[in-house]
Each structure stands twice: as C-alpha cells, then as structure tokens.
Amino acid sequence: MSLLSFFGSKKSYITSGLLDDMTDIHCHILPDVDDGVSEYEEAVDSLHWLKSKGVSRMYLTPHVMSDFSENTSGYLSEKFDFFVKRLENDGIGDIPDLRLGAEYMLEAAFEKQKAEGLLTYADHHVLIETSYIMPPVGFLSLLEELMESGYSPVLAHPERYTYMDMDDYKALKGQGIKFQLNFLSMTGAYGPFARKKAIQLLKEDFYDYTGSDFHYLARHKDAFSAEMLTPKQISRLQILFRNNRKLWETDE
C-alpha cells in the first residue's frame, strides 16, 4: 500500500458514517446553565447542525458542581422542560430527540446532590467526572458507596485525567466502573496527551460508551471533519455507539 493510499484511508466522524442515527450521551447544549451553550438560538443552531450530520438522539448533561451551585436535579429538570416546551412552541423541528442527564463532579457537594436524587441514564447509570489533575479525597470509596446505593458510575473522558495511568484504569475497570470516551479526543480536540491516551484505551477495549462533550459549535465543528480515524478505530467506535443506543433504548 502506498503512503498516499494509507493516509487517504483515514476518515472523519462525518465521512465514516459513525454519526448516522447516532446517540450522544454527553453534551452541554441545555442553554444558560453551565460553561456550554449560553443562548437559546445557539442551542437551536447546534441541534440543527448535529442533526444534519446524522445525530438522532442526545442526552443533555449539564455540569453539576460547586461552580454552578444552582444546578440541582430539580432546577435542571425545570430548565430542560422549559427548553423543550419552547422548542415545541417555536415549531423547531429537524433536531435530535432530547433527554436530560447530568455530569457530576466528585467533590464535597456530591453527597448532598446524591441525597437529593441524581439525574441518570436508564434509572441507575450516572455520569461522573473528577478534577483533571488530581483525584477527589476518598475517590475509590466514593465510587464504592455510589455502587452500593444502586448506581452504575460512568466515568466521563478518562483520557483527560493527567493523574491516571494504566494501572489506575485497570483498577477502576476491575471495580466495575464504566468508561465514556470523548470521541473528539481521537482527533486531538483536547490536545495530544488526551489523544494519545484515548487511542490506547480504545485499542485495549477499556471504553463502554462515547459522547461528544459538545459545548459550542465553534469549538467543536472542525473536529467532526478531521480525517484522523483508522479503519480499526472506526470498528471499535461502532461498538461504543451501539452501546449508546442500547442505553437510550433501556430508558424507554
């Protein structure tokens, strides 16, 4: 195979077909609640664009953390209901189907949020994250307690945690923690460190689900078109996207 044909074999998320009828389980498109989309019109434009690329279903997963103290499950449910109703009243069509989830930071306030009730996928899967540079105090104990309470933790973007190495990932998987790939990490959207780790974790079948972690269109648009995916990576990613769809269907 020539070098030209080798490099030409790489595809983007758009040209690979991975986005066709896709379910996204991680995004920040619910407007004016966190560091994602801030305006209603921007949210509509983003949803139209994603639908045009094949995305059919999305969980909106706002950050729940001390930086956004208003974001309780009740408050976010109200904001989501208001958003969906406004879309309906405005006759906005040709967008993905929407459901509400959340991305929880494991920090001191998490126990209070848990006591109030967590926003989940399929009743018990809960999307969690930590600081990128250090684990929370009692990290493993927090995870154990969460599982003992009947939840199945899904760790968002493990490739982005600089304090984790392969032994940490193996220990977490051994504990039963699910991993969610930020699929745009594969294109370098979060830097070379995250890309390298994402490629390795995908190759070794550590991931269970995947999501865009979409915050706003200008930030992510080019990454969807970056032709950096090999056939083997596309094959592995297809499994994750199928798992996303199964998660959505379990929620029905």
Side-chain angles (χ1 to χ4, degrees):
M1 178 181 290
S2 70
L3 286 177
L4 182 62
S5 61
F6 172 77
F7 286 110
S9 69
K10 291 187 178 182
K11 295 185 178 182
S12 71
Y13 282 100
I14 293 173
T15 60
S16 67
L18 284 168
L19 300 185
D20 294 348
D21 198 36
M22 192 267 273
T23 301
D24 191 348
I25 72 164
H26 183 177
C27 75
H28 298 271
I29 296 179
L30 185 62
D32 194 30
V33 294
D34 61 9
D35 61 344
V37 169
S38 59
E39 302 291 339
Y40 170 76
E41 292 77 12
E42 181 187 1
V44 171
D45 289 344
S46 297
L47 292 170
H48 278 315
W49 187 86
L50 290 162
K51 179 69 173 181
S52 74
K53 303 308 176 188
V55 181
S56 294
R57 293 161 295 277
M58 303 189 78
Y59 283 97
L60 309 188
T61 54
H63 288 291
V64 180
M65 60 198 305
S66 56
D67 289 350
F68 305 104
S69 57
E70 285 188 320
N71 285 2
T72 63
S73 57
Y75 175 76
L76 291 174
S77 294
E78 290 177 2
K79 294 286 282 188
F80 177 77
D81 290 344
F82 178 82
F83 178 55
V84 170
K85 189 66 175 177
R86 183 173 178 183
L87 291 171
E88 293 174 353
N89 289 342
D90 290 348
I92 304 297
D94 203 26
I95 62 172
D97 294 336
L98 304 176
R99 289 180 183 164
L100 179 64
E103 181 183 15
Y104 290 93
M105 176 68 73
L106 293 184
E107 58 181 0
F110 180 68
E111 286 303 313
K112 180 181 178 182
Q113 294 151 4
K114 189 174 122 182
E116 293 174 348
L118 303 178
L119 295 166
T120 62
Y121 314 115
D123 290 333
H124 66 283
H125 294 79
V126 57
L127 187 66
I128 58 170
E129 66 173 339
T130 78
S131 161
Y132 294 131
I133 60 174
M134 65 179 64
V137 175
F139 183 27
L140 295 181
S141 296
L142 283 171
L143 295 174
E144 288 174 3
E145 292 170 6
L146 193 56
M147 296 176 78
E148 288 171 359
S149 298
Y151 293 102
S152 177
V154 178
L155 182 63
H157 40 63
E159 69 276 2
R160 298 183 68 186
Y161 301 121
T162 59
Y163 66 87
M164 288 189 184
D165 59 24
M166 288 306 294
D167 288 338
D168 295 316
Y169 296 127
K170 289 175 183 176
L172 290 170
K173 293 300 290 183
Q175 193 177 359
I177 307 305
K178 306 294 186 184
F179 283 9
Q180 175 255 304
L181 165 69
N182 273 12
F183 63 77
L184 297 179
S185 292
M186 298 290 295
T187 69
Y190 300 96
F193 174 85
R195 180 172 184 265
K196 182 178 179 180
K197 289 180 81 173
I199 290 171
Q200 182 180 11
L201 291 170
L202 183 68
K203 182 179 180 180
E204 299 193 24
D205 295 323
F206 272 68
Y207 289 113
D208 302 278
Y209 304 107
T210 189
S212 64
D213 200 359
F214 187 103
H215 277 65
Y216 43 92
L217 191 56
R219 173 178 172 181
H220 300 294
K221 192 173 185 178
D222 289 345
F224 280 90
S225 300
E227 295 185 340
M228 302 178 73
L229 303 176
T230 68
K232 286 185 177 180
Q233 290 169 349
I234 292 169
S235 180
R236 288 187 168 98
L237 287 163
Q238 287 172 337
I239 296 171
L240 305 186
F241 283 117
R242 286 198 294 268
N243 289 345
N244 285 8
R245 178 63 185 270
K246 291 176 184 176
L247 196 61
W248 183 279
E249 291 172 346
T250 303
D251 238 351
E252 293 177 346

